[in-house]
Amino acid sequence: MALSSQPFIFPGTQSTVLPDPSAFFAPHLLSNPLPTNSFFQNFVLKNGDQPEFIHPYIVKSSLSSLTICYPSQFHNPAFIYQTFIADLTIRALNNPNPNAPHVISSFDDLSVTLDLPSSNLRFFLVKGSPFITCSVIENIAISISTIHAILQCSPNGNRTKYTIKLNNGQTWVLYASSPIDLSNDVSSITSGVFSGIIRISCLPNSDQTSEAVLDRFSSCYPTSGNAVFKQPFCVEYKWEKKGWGDLLMLAHPLHLQLLSAVDSSVTVLEGFKYNSIDGELVGVVGDSWILKSDPVSVTWHSIKGVKEEACLEIIDSLNKDVAALDSKGVSTTSSYFFGKLIARAARLALIAEEVCHLDVIPAIRKFLKDTVEPWLEGTFQENGFFYESKWGGIVTKQGALDSGADFGFGVYNDHHFHIGHFLYAIAVLAKIDPIWGRKYKPQAYALMADFMNLSRRSNSKYARLRCFDLWKLHSWAGGLTEFADGRNQESTSEAVNAYYSAALMGLAYGDTHLVAIGSTLSALEIHSAQTWWHVKEGSTLYGEEFTKNNRVVGVLWSNKRDSGLWFAPPEWKECRLGIQVLPILPITELLFSDVQFVKQLVEWTLPALAREGVGEGWKGFVYTLEAIYDKVGALNKTRSLTGFDDGNSLSNLLWWIHSRDDEVGESDRGSKFCWFRHYSH
């Protein structure tokens, strides 16, 4: 079954907590599913006037004007954020309706088109463009104002380029598709009547060499961009462009790591760089990029296997953990905690397979059927999955009435986290009971499609890749909540689990397409976690202060890096580590392939375990990583634990530790992706 084909729909519901999308989306878009975790989400929430980071600029739309900022960064040991300042604000002069809202007239994987209808201005906001491109649709005069003082606004000979110098040290360059007359006072620039294309760019570091690059590529502009999954572990960017000449875009550090010089006809301009919170953005010339990840082999069981002499200890633990399963004793009604609970039980089945202790599998199968089926059949009285058509997706019974219920699932927060746990349990149950799997395949695919749909077709029921940002190459969790810092994501490991679980479901159903897409998104999420969440000693990405004090980012926002968590302060390092590890799976080994970093992270965390009140469950995740380089020490500590996270078990910890290497050689300690090539097939 293709990812875009979802014949089953959960029962419909009318949500009382969702915002009205018709306030900002053009009417022709409202009949299709709409994005709920996108890079431009703030533009369609509440007043639509909170900024978004459209690399390399922060962009804010308010009162029929568009404000752009080339941000500086604020650093301290606890957080980093990009500072929004109204560097330039563009509006129409003599606007008859200056309070009119903007309209989103189109969007795609890599861009959003924002219209100011009362101003006759259309902005092509394309991620990674060094230019802000504005189409002036009718003959109007425009105004460009700034909170800084304008020191200079000088034209070239034919008045198609103006150099604008501000007293904050910035130099901006304006390009026009035909001659334009600009005049200025200390804080504003006004034009004569004009129609055509205007492009504005901040000159990075006021560098003359960079200005020559901007001049050269100023005439070719992107209007949209899409990402295409051509083959496993490969994403192709394709931009639609207008004007003439070649297209200049910017690549973030992970783009540059994955950019295939062999397959892409692109030129990297090493010396042309913009600064950003995500690292240096480097110029790339070409309207098609091919990004290739090393392959990830998604497996049900551990990569290296469990040594025979360790099986008895695991089997003894399995017998106890399985005996304690009680479907009638489940008290949680939360979609998140329920998902963790059933995924925990599903892990026991796969561990039992791996240690050849098949006697416990019937009991696990019964528990999973008793707990999963009510959610899929709509007979779980306290909660359940429903379909809402306003934005196009699944909400929970509780979430449809309360935006805070189920951690905001009803306003599209954390969908990949919650559903990912359900998919894991469903995939395992379909594996051990194929007849059951066939019966519930429609419901399983409907859940998967909520966050994994690839279709762009108008008859699709779900947004395209609801959580995954195809430009940043990782997921966002924030949903339809307005945040001044944009979207955010806390747990990268749960994001990896979502796509990994979808791939496992593909294995269970013999769906090679789903295996390929799930594996590809898992690989990209892993790359992003290692690039932006894992903070290695000596890294220059986040500056000296933050790097010295942190080994992981707590919550990563579009415009901020925070050391705290949604549920814990920065000092609770065991929680900060644990939320980037859980759930413990075979793919955890790939997420934490850099043994040298793992040791840094554990040694940074261990002192926090001496704090009074540290939960036993969180200690388990610390010992999980410690086992990667000190198997014996971690095993002794794990045996003394008196409790476990609600998605974890002693059996799972013992399985993990006993499937580690006894010794880690120096060759394994570097930040190499050796596991990709060694184990992938």
Side-chain angles (χ1 to χ4, degrees), residues 267-325:
T267 304
V268 178
L269 306 180
E270 300 283 0
F272 184 76
K273 298 176 181 177
Y274 284 75
N275 294 322
S276 87
I277 197 168
D278 294 313
E280 288 184 332
L281 308 175
V282 177
V284 176
V285 180
D287 55 21
S288 174
W289 299 0
I290 293 178
L291 307 173
K292 282 193 169 180
S293 162
D294 288 316
V296 169
S297 183
V298 166
T299 60
W300 295 104
H301 304 123
S302 67
I303 292 172
K304 295 179 182 175
V306 175
K307 289 186 172 62
E308 190 173 350
E309 58 268 26
C311 288
L312 283 177
E313 182 179 17
I314 297 172
I315 288 169
D316 182 56
S317 180
L318 268 175
N319 287 331
K320 294 172 184 174
D321 282 332
V322 174
L325 294 176

Side-chain angles (χ1 to χ4, degrees), residues 173-202:
V173 187
L174 180 147
Y175 300 91
S177 57
S178 59
I180 185 171
D181 292 310
L182 299 183
S183 58
N184 70 284
D185 57 25
V186 71
S187 63
S188 65
I189 300 166
T190 56
S191 79
V193 171
F194 177 84
S195 68
I197 299 295
I198 288 175
R199 308 194 76 197
I200 298 176
S201 181
C202 188

Side-chain angles (χ1 to χ4, degrees), residues 448-521:
M448 176 273 296
D450 177 76
F451 72 96
M452 286 277 290
N453 174 44
L454 288 182
S455 175
R456 297 186 179 93
R457 293 204 300 259
S458 60
N459 64 349
S460 177
K461 294 294 182 183
Y462 305 97
R464 176 169 156 85
L465 288 178
R466 182 177 309 284
C467 302
F468 198 83
D469 185 327
L470 284 159
W471 196 83
K472 268 304 295 290
L473 303 175
H474 64 73
S475 300
W476 298 114
L480 296 175
T481 303
E482 181 186 63
F483 293 111
D485 293 305
R487 299 306 91 200
N488 71 84
Q489 180 167 263
E490 188 173 55
S491 176
T492 55
S493 50
E494 286 182 289
V496 171
N497 173 65
Y499 304 113
Y500 167 75
S501 298
L504 289 182
M505 204 170 88
L507 287 177
Y509 285 118
D511 183 343
T512 56
H513 184 46
L514 181 53
V515 174
I517 294 299
S519 301
T520 299
L521 294 175

Side-chain angles (χ1 to χ4, degrees), residues 244-563:
W244 54 270
D246 294 325
L247 182 65
L248 172 65
M249 301 297 288
L250 300 172
H252 59 54
L254 184 51
H255 285 145
L256 293 172
Q257 183 183 327
L258 303 180
L259 195 59
S260 172
V262 176
D263 301 295
S264 303
S265 54
V266 299
T267 304
V268 178
L269 306 180
E270 300 283 0
F272 184 76
K273 298 176 181 177
Y274 284 75
N275 294 322
S276 87
I277 197 168
D278 294 313
E280 288 184 332
L281 308 175
V282 177
V284 176
V285 180
D287 55 21
S288 174
W289 299 0
I290 293 178
L291 307 173
K292 282 193 169 180
S293 162
D294 288 316
V296 169
S297 183
V298 166
T299 60
W300 295 104
H301 304 123
S302 67
I303 292 172
K304 295 179 182 175
V306 175
K307 289 186 172 62
E308 190 173 350
E309 58 268 26
C311 288
L312 283 177
E313 182 179 17
I314 297 172
I315 288 169
D316 182 56
S317 180
L318 268 175
N319 287 331
K320 294 172 184 174
D321 282 332
V322 174
L325 294 176
D326 176 14
S327 61
K328 291 184 173 60
V330 175
S331 58
T332 183
T333 63
S334 155
S335 57
Y336 176 68
F337 291 115
F338 204 102
K340 286 182 71 177
L341 181 141
I342 59 176
R344 172 189 180 275
R347 284 287 315 128
L348 299 177
L350 294 181
I351 295 167
E353 284 186 344
E354 190 164 345
V355 297
C356 299
H357 186 52
L358 305 184
D359 294 354
V360 296
I361 288 182
I364 301 169
R365 180 169 60 226
K366 183 179 187 308
F367 175 83
L368 288 174
K369 290 170 75 170
D370 290 347
T371 49
V372 174
E373 284 177 11
W375 284 82
L376 301 186
E377 293 177 345
T379 57
F380 186 59
Q381 294 300 314
E382 294 84 358
N383 208 348
F385 294 122
F386 291 84
Y387 180 82
E388 73 81 24
S389 58
K390 187 182 285 186
W391 291 81
I394 292 172
V395 295
T396 55
K397 180 179 180 179
Q398 294 178 10
L401 303 173
D402 177 1
S403 63
D406 290 330
F407 294 101
F409 192 93
V411 289
Y412 290 101
N413 182 50
D414 288 0
H415 271 215
H416 56 325
F417 296 163
H418 297 221
I419 296 174
H421 292 303
F422 271 86
L423 292 190
Y424 187 85
I426 290 168
V428 172
L429 191 45
K431 179 184 190 294
I432 63 177
D433 189 342
I435 295 173
W436 183 94
R438 284 195 294 274
K439 179 179 178 181
Y440 289 99
K441 184 177 181 180
Q443 291 93 326
Y445 269 72
L447 279 176
M448 176 273 296
D450 177 76
F451 72 96
M452 286 277 290
N453 174 44
L454 288 182
S455 175
R456 297 186 179 93
R457 293 204 300 259
S458 60
N459 64 349
S460 177
K461 294 294 182 183
Y462 305 97
R464 176 169 156 85
L465 288 178
R466 182 177 309 284
C467 302
F468 198 83
D469 185 327
L470 284 159
W471 196 83
K472 268 304 295 290
L473 303 175
H474 64 73
S475 300
W476 298 114
L480 296 175
T481 303
E482 181 186 63
F483 293 111
D485 293 305
R487 299 306 91 200
N488 71 84
Q489 180 167 263
E490 188 173 55
S491 176
T492 55
S493 50
E494 286 182 289
V496 171
N497 173 65
Y499 304 113
Y500 167 75
S501 298
L504 289 182
M505 204 170 88
L507 287 177
Y509 285 118
D511 183 343
T512 56
H513 184 46
L514 181 53
V515 174
I517 294 299
S519 301
T520 299
L521 294 175
S522 297
L524 294 173
E525 197 83 46
I526 287 170
H527 275 299
S528 287
Q530 294 171 337
T531 301
W532 288 298
W533 274 263
H534 297 179
V535 185
K536 300 174 179 67
E537 288 180 10
S539 168
T540 57
L541 179 65
Y542 289 143
E544 188 176 343
E545 276 187 297
F546 189 85
T547 301
K548 182 180 178 182
N549 282 272
N550 299 280
R551 286 296 147 264
V552 281
V553 172
V555 180
L556 185 143
W557 299 77
S558 177
N559 264 315
K560 184 168 69 172
R561 303 292 181 265
D562 204 330
S563 59

